[in-house]
Amino acid sequence: AQKITQTQPGMFVQEKEAVTLDCTYDTSDQSYGLFWYKQPSSGEMIFLIYQGSYDEQNATEGRYSLNFQKARKSANLVISASQLGDSAMYFCAMREAVFNQAGTALIFGKGTTLSVSS
Amino acid sequence: NAGVTQTPKFQVLKTGQSMTLQCAQDMNHNSMYWYRQDPGMGLRLIYYSASEGTTDKGEVPNGYNVSRLNKREFSLRLESAAPSQTSVYFCASSDPGLVSEQYFGPGTRLTVT
């Protein structure tokens, strides 16, 4: 079963608008971490934001915020005031606390391509 | 402070050839990882090393071997390359722990013909 599901292959938004990128996850662990990474066309992986399963407040980093709904197992990324430079692939990822086959590695979703137009 | 470095950046191999992808990190991280990225598939874990001297298989280990040479270096070897191994390969490192961010190298784009 997929651990991380990103159902939006592509999203389109106009500059200065907000956009939400969806992410749902599957885990039986009580302790886990959720990450979002950005991959621009140049290919590098850029860390954006982190949310811990026990964090009571939604994480925020500048224009990025994470809408964490634990009961629904969702961790959506919200980008406010989109900019042309936000055009990229965005990956949701999870790390589980219990030791599993992947050890401490991140498990990634398949990604969402965001296109920002002027 | 270079972070995570990978060599080479690009490589073209013929089917059956072998090669080693090199990765080094200067952040004193215990854990290192190799991922492959294919279109529409996200990043999939090939092998990881939780600490110096240990390595374990990830989701897609077939056709690969790894060596954790020391704390800094973690190499990925393709013994007999196949077209199905055409991909972008990322090395990453992190501290252990739930909240630790993974730092990624710039990637190696490998084409097997």
Side-chain angles (χ1 to χ4, degrees):
Chain A
Q2 247 181 316
K3 291 267 189 178
I4 299 284
T5 303
Q6 294 181 254
T7 56
Q8 307 153 314
M11 289 285 285
F12 298 86
V13 68
Q14 294 245 310
E15 252 186 316
K16 299 178 188 169
E17 290 184 350
V19 62
T20 298
L21 306 184
D22 294 342
C23 173
T24 58
Y25 58 92
D26 181 26
T27 181
S28 56
D29 200 354
Q30 296 302 309
S31 185
Y32 51 88
L34 296 155
F35 299 76
W36 278 91
Y37 280 82
K38 172 184 178 181
Q39 186 179 44
S41 57
S42 51
E44 72 267 34
M45 296 290 287
I46 302 167
F47 167 73
L48 294 178
I49 197 167
Y50 166 82
Q51 178 85 42
S53 59
Y54 291 117
D55 293 341
E56 294 187 352
Q57 302 226 342
N58 286 340
T60 61
E61 289 286 348
R63 293 186 300 111
Y64 303 108
S65 60
L66 205 152
N67 184 359
F68 180 48
Q69 298 186 45
K70 194 169 180 177
R72 299 178 63 179
K73 292 189 175 177
S74 76
N76 298 338
L77 178 70
V78 181
I79 306 175
S80 63
S82 298
Q83 302 171 355
L84 294 176
D86 293 334
S87 294
M89 177 83 85
Y90 289 80
F91 291 99
C92 180
M94 177 174 67
R95 174 182 285 135
E96 294 169 303
V98 300
F99 182 82
N100 56 26
Q101 186 186 13
T104 58
L106 292 176
I107 304 163
F108 284 85
K110 295 185 178 181
T112 296
T113 301
L114 176 64
S115 300
V116 182
S117 59
S118 56
Chain B
N1 194 349
V4 180
T5 57
Q6 291 182 237
T7 55
K9 283 190 165 44
F10 301 93
Q11 184 72 48
V12 179
L13 290 179
K14 291 187 176 2
T15 297
Q17 287 185 319
S18 62
M19 78 161 295
T20 300
L21 280 64
Q22 307 285 356
C23 174
Q25 52 93 8
D26 62 3
M27 294 172 282
N28 204 36
H29 288 157
N30 282 317
S31 303
M32 296 186 74
Y33 318 87
W34 277 104
Y35 293 90
R36 61 177 288 172
Q37 182 180 17
D38 302 295
M41 297 295 291
L43 277 75
R44 293 181 294 169
L45 184 68
I46 305 171
Y47 269 93
Y48 69 98
S49 171
S51 61
E52 188 179 352
T54 69
T55 61
D56 282 288
K57 296 177 181 178
E59 181 187 352
V60 288
N62 290 346
Y64 305 96
N65 284 301
V66 290
S67 295
R68 183 74 183 267
L69 305 167
N70 48 56
K71 193 171 185 179
R72 289 187 65 246
E73 298 172 287
F74 188 38
S75 62
L76 179 72
R77 182 158 178 85
L78 287 71
E79 290 291 351
S80 178
S84 60
Q85 293 178 305
T86 294
S87 188
V88 179
Y89 291 86
F90 285 98
C91 178
S93 72
S94 74
D95 282 322
L98 202 59
V99 307
S100 299
E101 172 193 343
Q102 268 190 15
Y103 294 82
F104 285 82
T108 295
R109 188 173 292 274
L110 175 67
T111 302
V112 183
T113 61

